[in-house]
Amino acid sequence: MEAEPALPRLRSPSRAWTWIGWTLTAIFTLFMVFDIAIKLIRLPVVEETLTGLGYRSGLGVPIGLVEAVLLILYLVRRTSLLGAVLFTALFGGTVASHVRAESPWLSHVLFGAYLALFAWGGLWLRDRRLRALFPIGR
């Protein structure tokens, strides 16, 4: 049985990059907490938005619960990559929903992609394992 190869030696990111990573993660987390909260407290705007996208009434709370689980996965270091992957899948669904509803591209369709960039960007800047998996530059 062969031993797992060690991660390549990477230069430690500067403090600035680490802070930027944590800042992106914090912004993403705060937005997701807000989004989860409005779904769980059943604000009427959630119901209106979902039905406007063609979904049946009453899906806000289940979606909010799924998002809460994903956020926990994302914030726990051991499961952060899984959380990011699953969030990306969720955001892909939001992009598809808005394309189908013919929503405006920059403000609605691409919003899920913006969130994914914040989630993955923050994670990449602060997680050595992810930088080793996806090296950018030298």
Side-chain angles (χ1 to χ4, degrees):
M1 181 179 259
E2 291 183 35
E4 276 190 45
L7 288 176
R9 276 200 132 351
L10 295 175
R11 206 166 50 96
S12 252
S14 70
R15 273 184 184 249
W17 286 115
T18 303
W19 272 102
I20 292 168
W22 280 109
T23 301
L24 290 173
T25 298
I27 292 168
F28 172 74
T29 301
L30 290 172
F31 177 80
M32 290 311 302
V33 166
F34 168 76
D35 190 57
I36 291 164
I38 66 171
K39 286 179 172 96
L40 295 182
I41 64 173
R42 299 176 179 177
L43 281 185
V45 69
V46 172
E47 214 49 51
E48 293 164 12
T49 302
L50 286 171
T51 55
L53 289 171
Y55 292 99
R56 69 175 170 77
S57 183
L59 287 177
V61 171
I63 292 171
L65 291 172
V66 168
E67 288 177 346
V69 170
L70 297 184
L71 186 60
I72 291 167
L73 288 172
Y74 177 75
L75 293 174
V76 173
R77 188 179 192 292
R78 290 178 72 106
T79 59
S80 59
L81 292 176
L82 175 62
V85 167
L86 294 175
F87 260 129
T88 304
L90 178 81
F91 297 148
T94 66
V95 167
S97 294
H98 282 288
V99 166
R100 189 175 135 292
E102 299 179 353
S103 300
W105 274 82
L106 291 178
S107 60
H108 291 67
V109 172
L110 293 177
F111 195 75
Y114 304 149
L115 287 173
L117 286 173
F118 270 71
W120 280 103
L123 192 57
W124 188 87
L125 287 169
R126 64 184 173 82
D127 190 322
R128 178 173 136 3
R129 302 169 302 159
L130 191 56
R131 287 191 311 278
L133 187 61
F134 297 107
I136 297 175
R138 270 178 69 84

